[in-house]
């Protein structure tokens, strides 16, 4: 009986900890911007077959913060605050690109489509 009460108390404390440490909408937006900047940094304009895409990638690399801000303004982030975690669906032009979950101050994303 004492072990069962201890387990219930432990689960209650863990649930409260999750509820109070889930990421906010601002945290999801910051994580999305960091992912955009990382993609810009990893992009290789010389490996691009399409000349227009290569020029756009090269331009993005020159002004990476502005480029990430521009792309970020076109992305829709549908934030949902759940009891123990938070969730954000990421879409661009009505097309879903992924879903992110946040719990215990961490954000985990799963892409559903290749944005290229």
């Amino acid at each position: 009986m004492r072990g069962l009460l201890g387990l219930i108390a432990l689960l209650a404390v863990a649930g409260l900890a999750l509820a109070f440490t889930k990421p906010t909408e601002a945290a999801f937006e910051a994580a999305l911007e960091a992912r955009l900047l990382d993609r810009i940094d990893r992009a290789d304009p010389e490996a691009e077959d399409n000349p227009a895409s290569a020029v756009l990638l090269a331009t993005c690399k020159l002004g990476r913060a502005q480029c990430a801000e521009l792309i970020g303004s076109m992305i829709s982030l549908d934030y949902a605050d759940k009891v123990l975690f938070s969730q954000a669906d990421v879409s661009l032009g009505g097309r879903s690109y992924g879903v992110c979950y946040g719990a215990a101050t961490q954000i985990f994303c799963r892409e559903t489509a290749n944005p290229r």
Side-chain angles (χ1 to χ4, degrees), residues 54-76:
V55 169
L56 285 173
L57 282 174
T59 305
C60 250
K61 284 191 160 295
L62 292 174
R64 62 190 281 279
Q66 293 84 2
C67 186
E69 185 178 331
L70 176 66
I71 294 169
S73 70
M74 294 185 287
I75 292 176
S76 171

Side-chain angles (χ1 to χ4, degrees), residues 39-49 53-54 57-58 61 116:
R39 286 227 174 159
I40 291 168
D41 291 341
R42 289 186 291 126
D44 183 13
E46 294 177 9
E48 192 63 44
D49 292 336
S53 294
L57 282 174
K61 284 191 160 295
R116 294 186 85 181

Side-chain angles (χ1 to χ4, degrees), residues 8-19:
I8 291 172
L10 180 65
L11 290 174
V13 169
L16 283 172
L18 284 174

Side-chain angles (χ1 to χ4, degrees), residues 53 109 114:
S53 294
C109 294
N114 187 356

Side-chain angles (χ1 to χ4, degrees), residues 5-112:
L5 288 176
L7 179 61
I8 291 172
L10 180 65
L11 290 174
V13 169
L16 283 172
L18 284 174
F20 286 108
T21 60
K22 60 186 169 193
T24 62
E25 186 171 3
F28 276 96
E29 289 171 357
L32 179 62
E33 183 178 358
R35 289 176 72 100
L36 285 172
L37 289 171
D38 182 55
R39 286 227 174 159
I40 291 168
D41 291 341
R42 289 186 291 126
D44 183 13
E46 294 177 9
E48 192 63 44
D49 292 336
N50 184 342
S53 294
V55 169
L56 285 173
L57 282 174
T59 305
C60 250
K61 284 191 160 295
L62 292 174
R64 62 190 281 279
Q66 293 84 2
C67 186
E69 185 178 331
L70 176 66
I71 294 169
S73 70
M74 294 185 287
I75 292 176
S76 171
L77 188 70
D78 187 23
Y79 178 80
D81 188 6
K82 308 292 184 177
V83 175
L84 297 178
F85 65 96
S86 48
Q87 174 183 344
D89 294 317
V90 181
S91 60
L92 176 64
R95 182 176 171 199
S96 177
Y97 275 77
V99 62
C100 297
Y101 299 96
T105 70
Q106 300 297 312
I107 296 175
F108 309 94
C109 294
R110 178 177 45 96
E111 291 184 21
T112 56

